[in-house]
Amino acid sequence: FALDTPPSQPSASHGEGAGRNVPLAERLRPRTLAEVIGQDHLTGAGMPLAIAFASGKPHSMILWGPPGVGKTTVARLMAHAFESDFIALSAVLSGVKEIREAIERARVNRDNLNRATILFVDEVHRFNKSQQDAFLPHVESGLVTFIGATTENPSFELNNALLSRASVYVLNPLDDAALALIFERAVAASSPFRGLTDPSTGSGRTARKEIAIDAEAKTRMINMADGDGRRLINLVEQLAIAADSSDAKSIDTKFVETVLARAARRFDKGGDNFYDQISALHKSVRGSDPDASLYWFCRMLDGGADPRYLARRMIRMATEDIGLADPRALDITLSAADVYERLGSPEGELALAEAVIYLAIAAKSNAVYNAYNAARAFIAQDESRPVPMHIRNAPTRLMKNLGMGKDYRYAHNEEEGYAAGESYLPDGMKRPDWYQPTDRGLEAKIREKLAHLRELDGKSKT
């Protein structure tokens, strides 16, 4: 994102005339790779995209990154750099018909015009398998150089055949420094911040309208952009329109929040951001950090996550990462989920927040989780062992005559309520000791008790 020309020398597209109707984000679109902001790991000297542009030979690629970080810009720059025809499709709006038309246009470019074609597909992950497969022969033959843009993980959303024919480049969310640079350039290109036509003379000369944007307002807008350069430019443009028609002498945070609709966080239900954030929440709880846990919980609520989904994941955390080290964690989380069902948003969310904090500070153990997984894995590969005769159910005389339930020891009649030395596993199966309680929380006491019971088992055999 850069000015078409430096701020001190605005071109016609930045001022009056036809350029005024062009969105600011389009006017600020970079014209060279060097003007792309915030992706130095790809565009800097000696980096992959810089090398690709310098090679003189385009190649197919997948550009993976969040919205507003330059994916479309890179594709357009490649078409310009290699003097290729640029065909853009949106996987949201296009189908087989549009794909065929694009391929036919590429053939005309090659056969009649001796011109290469860059085929750019935005949101390529939205194409199904057959639609993605339709590009393969034309990519292989060199008819088109394929550039796909996606906000989703290509490993999950794109065919392996397509991935094998394209390089994958990851574009990062724009950091505050990159957004600050974009902000300054957007302000420099925006009326009234850079000057207005003097209405008293009707001339094309500009009369400076002194409207300053204070540091806090700038920071607020950068935060609202949430790593999205295009969003930030659009916010500046909206602010400029409001400032142009107001009597404001300066722009502060209050003015920004009054004028601009609150921008939603970058959050795609079911997409990578969704799963990255729930992963961050889960790991923060596991790491016993209540502040981080509450941060990610509130971030997901702020982004539109269903509180019921968060409650379900929290119940999972209570069993996977806490278990018997603190059984109250499961009770508290289930109660919080019930409270939310009764009260809904926003009142019920406070109960969920309480549960999140409790989960974070509770003693941690994955002993139950490990034991369960080990048992499931053993059962999956083991034979179907019969139930030992002494612990079979024997409700009829025939079953008793067959020996079912014979010699069963009723634990309540034994010393300490424990039938020392008794086995409840299938005959011939050694005790696997899947459950290994930790020395944290309640499990420390469980560990002591199991050690005592094993000692009683040993004494019963001597």
Side-chain angles (χ1 to χ4, degrees), residues 250-264:
S250 64
I251 303 298
D252 56 14
T253 302
K254 182 178 180 181
F255 187 91
V256 169
E257 293 181 344
T258 299
V259 170
L260 301 179
R262 182 175 175 276

Side-chain angles (χ1 to χ4, degrees), residues 408-419 424:
Y408 170 64
R409 294 166 61 189
Y410 189 57
H412 293 288
N413 293 337
E414 302 277 341
E415 187 176 353
E416 295 192 36
Y418 178 67
Y424 302 96

Side-chain angles (χ1 to χ4, degrees), residues 25-100:
E26 187 62 30
R27 284 186 275 144
L28 294 183
R29 191 182 292 279
R31 297 174 64 179
T32 67
L33 192 66
E35 293 178 356
V36 175
I37 293 174
Q39 307 300 335
D40 291 347
H41 65 294
L42 296 176
T43 63
M47 296 296 106
L49 287 180
I51 292 173
F53 275 61
S55 71
K57 184 177 180 181
H59 65 271
S60 294
M61 62 183 68
I62 302 296
L63 303 175
W64 173 26
V69 297
K71 298 187 296 296
T72 302
T73 292
V74 168
R76 289 182 178 275
L77 288 175
M78 179 167 283
H80 177 73
F82 298 111
E83 298 181 346
S84 302
D85 186 23
F86 183 78
I87 301 177
L89 299 179
S90 169
V92 177
L93 304 174
S94 303
V96 174
K97 176 177 177 291
E98 287 75 17
I99 294 174
R100 288 174 177 167

